[in-house]
Amino acid sequence: MHHEEAKESIFSHADYTDLIVLLPILAEAYSVIAGRCKERKYDCREALQRMSELECLFMVEELSYKEYHKRLVKSMFDNPELNYNDWLLVL
């Protein structure tokens, strides 16, 4: 749904040398890959391997949920077409 906007945002910051991904977003990516593999009834080892290789390009950061949780939930009430992890990406 917001794939094109996300790509545009990433590529507009292509001059930055450090890319950071939050741990919950990384977990979501692995979960989506595993879920799609299960839906399509194929072995997802190759997709997981590629994700693992991609992960090496990012600095993985942990996040204090206490700091953001209420803001994320409020954002979901205000704009419910995005889920919790989508709002986490936005914030």
Side-chain angles (χ1 to χ4, degrees):
M1 180 169 150
H2 297 284
H3 183 76
E4 288 305 316
E5 291 92 354
K7 280 180 23 183
E8 185 177 310
S9 178
I10 289 169
F11 290 124
S12 71
H13 296 92
D15 57 333
Y16 292 100
T17 57
D18 293 330
L19 297 174
I20 297 172
V21 65
L22 300 174
L23 196 52
I25 301 305
L26 191 59
E28 174 76 2
Y30 278 104
S31 295
V32 169
I33 289 170
R36 296 277 163 80
C37 290
K38 186 177 178 181
E39 286 171 9
R40 295 173 183 162
K41 296 180 174 43
Y42 63 80
D43 186 348
C44 63
R45 290 181 199 153
E46 182 180 346
L48 291 172
Q49 178 62 38
R50 289 183 184 211
M51 183 63 199
S52 180
E53 291 166 5
L54 180 64
E55 180 184 341
C56 294
L57 301 176
F58 299 113
M59 293 186 332
V60 178
E61 294 287 328
E62 290 197 42
L63 176 73
S64 169
Y65 283 101
K66 289 180 184 178
E67 188 175 332
Y68 292 98
H69 177 75
K70 286 182 182 180
R71 190 170 164 195
L72 291 166
V73 172
K74 182 188 180 317
S75 296
M76 288 178 70
F77 273 106
D78 295 342
N79 196 347
E81 68 268 4
L82 297 180
N83 68 31
Y84 192 93
N85 283 336
D86 291 338
W87 274 111
L88 192 55
L89 280 168
V90 169
L91 296 176

